[in-house]
Structure formats: structure tokens, C-alpha cells
Amino acid sequence: MNKSNSTIVFLLLVALSGLLVLQSCQIQKLKITKLRCDYMYNPIGIDAASPRFTWNYERISSSDFKQGYVQLMLSKDKYALEKEISDDVWCSKVLSTEVPFVTMDSSYVLEPHTVYYWKVIVKDKNGAKKVLSPINQFETAFMKNLRWQAKWISDNEDMNTSLAPMLRKSFEINSKKQIEKARLYISAAGYYDVSINGSPVSENIFLAPGYTHYDKRNLYNTYDVTPLIKHGTNVITSVLGNGFYNAFAPVATWNFEQARWRNRASMISELHITYKDETKDIIVTDSTWKVSSSGPYLRNNIYSGDTYDANKEIDGWTKPIFDDSMWERARIMEAPSENLLAETEPKIKKIKEIKPISIKSFGDTVFVYDFGVNMTGVCQLKVRCEQGTRIEMQHGELLNSDGRLEMRNLDIYYKPLPGLAFQTDVFISNGRSCVFTPRFSYKGFQYVEVRSSRPIHLDKANITAFNFHSDLTRVGRFSCSNELLNRIWEAANQSYLCNIMSIPTDCPQREKNGWTADAHVTMDLGLLNFDGIRFYEKWIDDIIDNQTEDGRISGIIPSSGWGYDDWIGPVWDAAMFIVPMSLYNYYGDSQSIRKIYNTCEKYLSYLATREDNDGCVTYGIGDWVPYKTQTPTEYTTLCYYYLDNLYMSQFSDVLGRDGKKYKDKAEKLKNIINRKYLDLHKNIYANGSQTSLAIALYLGIVPRELEQKVADNLYRIVKENNGYLDFGVIGSKTVLRMLSKYGYAEISYQMASKEEEPSWGAWVKKGFTTMPETWTLSPEFRDASINHMFLGDINAWMYNVLAGINFDSENPGFKHIIIQPHFVEGLNWVKGEYYSVKGLIRSEWKRMEGHVLLEVEIPINTTATIEIADQKIPVSGGKHAFKF
């Protein structure tokens, strides 16, 4: 059967963790580290009534620590917490080792706008001497139950006016009072760009707050602005951008200009200034604010860009000393929704500045910049030229043969209007030295074509790319001896990050939409490389808000109403099950399951109305963008209908609910699939495509006694295709994995390492630094973005199969870890590490003198099983080495 690890000769376990020490001493050799509140370090702006507290253990010296119990201690008084004075300290119930973290219960009510200090007490399984964590803190915001004093405000223009609202409020600070702290709470329908006394509050933050269904939910941000407040006269200023809230021009396909929430961009904010004498001033948005729309932002559009006329800059308007007496009073706006909630997902942040690697001029009015990598963000322009010179910066992913920008692969869905070219920022010079940084749009690009209305001189120093996306913390690393795989891994990560913009998008240029399958098929890629729980929890809220009364969800989330059509369907909709299940598997946290359960229940009731006489649901998209062979859509839809019910039964188990009807339904659907699509003579499913066999194996639909036979046939059809892939999105998630699982890791590696089309390697050989939308590009450049993430699960396959790092679904949150590396021919070494919610997991192997050396690191307070061929070796937390 050509199993990849059948040649193992011997196994030797070498313990690297040192000599045993007395149990009573073990607990003293332990540190509690990485304490987080709701997965954030010392956050401000918490409004969760029951925040979650997590931490890791760090070994100081040799120990085999197992957590016995843990207790949370919390107080508003840090001194009381240090001394553990019972009257001023709240203590949680004592929790056992089975609990992955502490969640505050309802017995203690957190107060708004309050700093809390917390620590945990831990004992080992034998009740040895307790260990105290360091003291950390968090700060609450409005806590949902406290009403805002502020009002939503805007200028007095119509929502169809393209000019950006400018808002301003002066206030006085008593010089006799000492400032203890200052917090700015702010939201916008659309985006804000806010300053205090001329200093940007959010200089490196872009496109805040996060994009939502604005009529269902709005998010606010909290900033520590203490250093910006001074005695005497102060001023808050803000410019507002439209984003997806006010798409005033019908330039895109997805009907955002018809959004039910659409209105003039507006803002709400409260500045809370607390003094050392415990008094407080609150500066709120209301009709006393001054507004104008005569500033330099002539227009901003999320799909086009920003148009900025430096001749209309208002000198000094962001400074305290400015006469705004001629400005109008602000207009009170109706709140976009009834829900104004703290945003806890990572903000969209400038990650780095990237200089161009080359510039090519076409005369003295056209210049093309190459930044060497496909990215998301904007370009900052530094220029001095003749007054009135119009400079356009258009962003794209490809160049024509003549070196000019090629846009046909991107602007297929764009409907240009005068002054609104696709992915184009416009700057109009005032004749002075200027710096222009677009604030209210973003682009996907590697190249920027600069066109000017008059001759100008530009060089590399004139333009810098600001690369930004949601600021997710990296938690995974992979590398191996095959440089092609390393570059594929990097390209998949780059595509993923380019599509993390407060929602998981499909592409960062022409659509910017939260396509549901794009998100769920890349969950492993995302979570193995980045700490994504807060990001996806926010998007789960968006899914809940997206559901219609009859139970449907749209193919893009958020949506203004587009995408509820039958042509999208259940394979895409499965995001509502796969995303929370993935968070549960990776973090051991059931909050997302609890939150979305009723939404899933309602959706399955809707799908039941779409069944045919055989009990099948068959509509929608299937294996999107296949290379050649199309797997029958009715088959893949039915497979995911089964998965929905299977996961719903598991959700019920997690929450202690009765899920029998879902379990029975899943079993019934499995039987229907096998009766209708399984050829018992040939041991193939549906039309025998690579995807059709792999998805049945991946979802556990194949009868156990036939699994290897179906896998053998999968191997056969891949082999007959000379080891080349022939699938789309679903196959990209399942084929490599199922070949590897059933003994054919060698051919899955060969498939992954191909350099000719169709393959991931072919993209790398073409010089792409991100992952294209299709296996081969159309010669006409039609419908082929170079920055999609939905074919990128090969990145996660490298962790799971080559390095062998896997979660155990029976022990979610990496309480138990499965290490199952595959020593495939063609690789000399592999290094993989993943910083899980429990701590660092590391798996490295290399060939040496006829042997394979495997080193594994497992977090303290966890266990693992090393699986090599048919051998299973249990290990506990620590470092271990094996020789094969």
C-alpha cells in the first residue's frame, strides 16, 4: 500500500526534561505567564459582563506540572489584591483542571469605566503549595447597561454629498486640577480620523471602527488620550469617511448604494477626563459641536479611493486656537442601531512601511512603482509641484507587457463614474510641500501607477506604501528544506493577512466582501498562524445579524441585502457551523457556539423546507474554481447539509442540550449520500473526481470498512493524473489531507511540490507573492484576482502533516495534542511551531546519518501522543527527542 512511514526500523525515546524532582518542589519551579483578559493583555474598553481569563505556564526548571485547581482573585484595589484582603477582593469558585480558563460568573457585577486588578491562584494536582500569578489589569467601558450621554452627530449636508464631514469641539481644563487619566470613547457610522489638540489619536489605526451591519450593531473604540490633554483650551477634531455605510456612488456590484442603513457619515464620542480629586469632566458629541464640509476631502469611496484637494486645507483647524464662529452647529442624527458595543477585535493597523524596489517613468507625467510584494493598504505621497497639479495614484496587481498597469483582472465588476476611477487616490497640489495619506479607503496592490496633469519629477522617495490589516498576533511558524514550499507558505499567509480587514474578505481590491466559504475553508490556515479568536468572534456577530426572518444567510457577510440567492447556498453557509467549531477546537472556548446556536437552529429549520422528496438539499455553489473536473454540486451540497447537522449535534453536546434530532438527521443524510452517490462496485463517490472522494473521507461519510478502499482510489486517480491536482476550493482543503491520512503522504507532497500548472508552485514560479483566485490565469485577465486566500489550506497541511501538529477534537483547546509528522522523501528537515492557547507546541525533524531525529516540545499542563505509523507514544509537557 505504499504507506509513507512503513520503513521505520526502530524507535528510541530520549528524555530531555532532566532528572525528576520532588513533587513538593515542582510547583515552586513554575511561572504563570501571558495572562490575558478576553484574550487581550491589560485591555481598556471591556464591556463584557463575564470576561474570560487565560494564562500559560512556564517551566523554570524540570517539572511535570499538572494543574489541580485554579481560582481567580479580583479587586478594584491593587493593594488589597496584593495583600488578599478579603473585604476588598472577589474570588471565583475553585475550578478544577478540566476548565481551560476562568470566566467570571454573575455573582459579581463589574462597574463601568473602572480599572480592575486580577491574579490567579494555582495548585497542582496533589494540592502542593499554591502559586500566585503576577497582577494584571483591565478597564471596563460602558458595560452595555450604561447609557451614553453623547448623541450621534454629523454636518448638515445631504447623504449624497461627496464632501467629507469635519467636526470640532473646544473645551477648557481647569489648571488647578491634576489629570489622573483621560479616555476617548468613539464610534462612527463609516470611519473616523480623530485628533486632540492637533495630535492624531488614531494615526496608525485605519478604517475604524470595524465594518458591521450598521442598522443592527455599531462598534466603539476606547483610547487612552491622557498625554494629549492639557490645561487650558483643548479641542477634539474629526473627519468622517463613508466606508460601506454611505456608498454614495453606484460603482460596485453589491448594491451598497441601496443599503437599508445608508445615511450621511456620522459620529458619536465621549471624552472622560478623571482628575486626581476623583471629579470628572465628560465632553460629549452634541449640537454644540461645530461642523463644516468645505475641507480638502472632496470625496472618498471604499472601492475607488480618496480625492484630496490641498488648496482647500483649513490651516489650524485641528489646533485649540482657531476661530470656528462661522462654522455651523452639528446636526443630531438618529442612531444607526440600538446596539453600540465595545470593539474587541484587533483594529486595522499600519503594520509596516514598504519602500518601492523600482520605479519606471513614461515621460514626465506617468510613473510606475513596484513594491515587490502584493499587499493591502494605501500609499503616502510626499510631493511639491505646481499649484493645481492633479496627481492620480492607481493601484493594481499586474503590469502589461509595456510596463504600464494592468487592471482588467480587477475592475471587471467596477462601474466607473466621473472622478471615481477604480483603486485610485487623487491629490490636487497647492504648490507647497505636502504629505498626503489616504484615510478612508484601502487597496490591494503591488504596483502603483502615478499620473499627473502637469510634468513633475518623482523618485523612490516620493511614495511609501503603508501596509495595513487587522492586527492579528502571529502564533505559528513553519519552514522546511524545500524552499518552494516555504514560499508557498509565505504567500498563503500574505494572502490571508491581506484579507483580514475587520471581516474575512475574499479579495482586497475589487470586492472586499466577507464571502462565507472563503472564511471557513481557511480557518486552519488562519488559526495555526495567527491568534484569531477575537477577530472571528466579531464576524460571528455579523453572521447572526445577517440572518433573515426565514433563516437564510447571504453569501457575503455583512451584506446590505445582496447575496441571499439560491446560487450561493449551503456549502458557503456552512461558515456558521465551521467557524465556531474551529474556535472551540483551537481554544477550548464554547462562547461562540453558545452565541450562534439559535441562529444555526433557525437555519436548519429553513433548510428542512428546501428538501426534495428524497430528503436532499441540492442547490448552491460546490467545488468553486476547479481546474478541469467539476464535482456535482448537488452532491457537495448534501455533504455539507450532513456536516451542518453533525456539528449541530456536537454543539448541543457542548452546551448540554438535547441534540438527538440533529444526530439522527446527520445519520439519515449520511445513509442517503451513500445510497445515492457511493458506487459499491468501484468504491468511488459521485463522478469519481478527486474532490468527490476526498470530501466523503474528510467528513466521515464513508463506511469505516470502505475508507481505505476509497482512499486507495483517490490515490489511483491522482496517480493517473501524473500527480497533478484537479479540484477547486473544496478539494484544496481535503485532497492533500486525505491522501496523507490514509498512507499516501508521499504523493500529497509530490502534488504540493509541483512547479507546472496547475499547482501552487506554478504561482510562486510566476513571481506571485500572494495566492491567485484561479489555477490558471485567463489570457484576457478576466475574473482572476491575484490575492485570494481560499486555495491556501496547503499552508495548514504543512503544519498538520509535515510537522505533524494537530489538535485532538476529543480534548479541545490543545489540552491533549496529537503529533503525527510524515517523513516524506524529498524533505531533509521540517520545523513547525504553534503557540497555542496552552503554550508553545514545537515539532522538528531532520535526516541524519540514515536516521530521522524528531524533537518535540509540549506545553506544561498538557499531554500529547506521538503517532508514527502504527506506534503511539504518550508524553507529558516538556521537551522530548526521538530517533527513527
Side-chain angles (χ1 to χ4, degrees), residues 442-473:
Y442 75 98
K443 295 87 182 171
F445 66 99
Q446 177 173 336
Y447 307 98
V448 177
E449 183 169 295
V450 181
R451 302 181 292 266
S452 64
S453 61
R454 295 187 178 98
I456 58 174
H457 172 76
L458 295 179
D459 57 30
K460 289 183 180 180
N462 290 102
I463 293 187
T464 301
F466 284 12
N467 175 213
F468 59 70
H469 50 72
S470 294
D471 187 21
L472 273 59
T473 301

Side-chain angles (χ1 to χ4, degrees), residues 388-420:
T389 301
R390 178 185 174 93
I391 299 175
E392 298 179 351
M393 298 186 292
Q394 188 164 36
H395 304 67
E397 297 180 328
L398 297 172
L399 297 180
N400 285 319
S401 57
D402 63 359
R404 295 287 298 273
L405 200 63
E406 172 61 73
M407 297 298 291
R408 287 177 295 168
N409 72 311
L410 296 181
D411 63 7
I412 179 174
Y413 300 129
Y414 193 74
K415 307 166 187 175
L417 291 173
L420 290 169

Side-chain angles (χ1 to χ4, degrees), residues 352-412:
K352 54 188 171 183
E353 297 183 9
I354 300 176
K355 301 294 184 180
I357 62 171
S358 68
I359 177 175
K360 184 176 181 180
S361 61
F362 298 81
D364 51 12
T365 59
V366 178
F367 307 82
V368 175
Y369 287 78
D370 179 0
F371 289 92
V373 62
N374 208 2
M375 72 180 96
T376 49
V378 296
C379 281
Q380 183 182 80
L381 173 67
K382 295 181 179 179
V383 69
R384 179 171 186 171
C385 54
E386 185 179 347
Q387 184 175 10
T389 301
R390 178 185 174 93
I391 299 175
E392 298 179 351
M393 298 186 292
Q394 188 164 36
H395 304 67
E397 297 180 328
L398 297 172
L399 297 180
N400 285 319
S401 57
D402 63 359
R404 295 287 298 273
L405 200 63
E406 172 61 73
M407 297 298 291
R408 287 177 295 168
N409 72 311
L410 296 181
D411 63 7
I412 179 174

Side-chain angles (χ1 to χ4, degrees), residues 142-179:
F142 285 84
M143 295 303 296
K144 299 180 183 179
N145 57 349
L146 182 68
R147 292 182 60 87
W148 285 59
Q149 300 177 43
K151 304 294 184 183
W152 286 86
I153 62 170
S154 187
D155 63 8
N156 296 287
E157 301 295 335
D158 182 82
M159 68 179 179
N160 294 310
T161 302
S162 64
L163 301 170
M166 302 168 65
L167 303 91
R168 190 176 191 279
K169 175 66 177 180
S170 296
F171 60 95
E172 297 291 326
I173 296 295
N174 190 330
S175 61
K176 296 181 180 180
K177 290 191 173 186
Q178 288 185 292
I179 299 171

Side-chain angles (χ1 to χ4, degrees), residues 628-682:
K628 286 185 178 178
T629 305
Q630 176 67 65
T631 302
T633 295
E634 64 273 11
Y635 164 69
T636 51
T637 295
L638 193 57
C639 287
Y640 276 83
Y641 188 24
Y642 157 77
L643 179 67
D644 294 348
N645 281 277
L646 177 66
Y647 276 9
M648 194 63 178
S649 70
Q650 295 173 4
F651 288 177
S652 300
D653 292 342
V654 169
L655 300 181
R657 302 192 186 189
D658 183 6
K660 184 177 184 302
K661 68 176 181 178
Y662 301 113
K663 185 176 181 179
D664 292 346
K665 181 68 172 181
E667 190 64 27
K668 181 179 180 181
L669 289 169
K670 180 192 288 189
N671 292 334
I672 291 173
I673 294 168
N674 285 322
R675 184 176 68 248
K676 190 170 183 179
Y677 293 103
L678 172 60
D679 185 331
L680 288 170
H681 297 289
K682 297 181 179 179

Side-chain angles (χ1 to χ4, degrees), residues 15 159 187 192 235 293 392 475 516 525 760 788 825 871:
M159 68 179 179
S187 179
Y192 61 77
V235 68
S293 57
E392 298 179 351
V475 294
T516 45
L525 154 64
W760 295 275
H788 269 62
E825 293 296 327
Q871 302 187 61

Side-chain angles (χ1 to χ4, degrees), residues 137 227 507 748 785:
Q137 66 186 65
C507 59
S748 68
S785 156

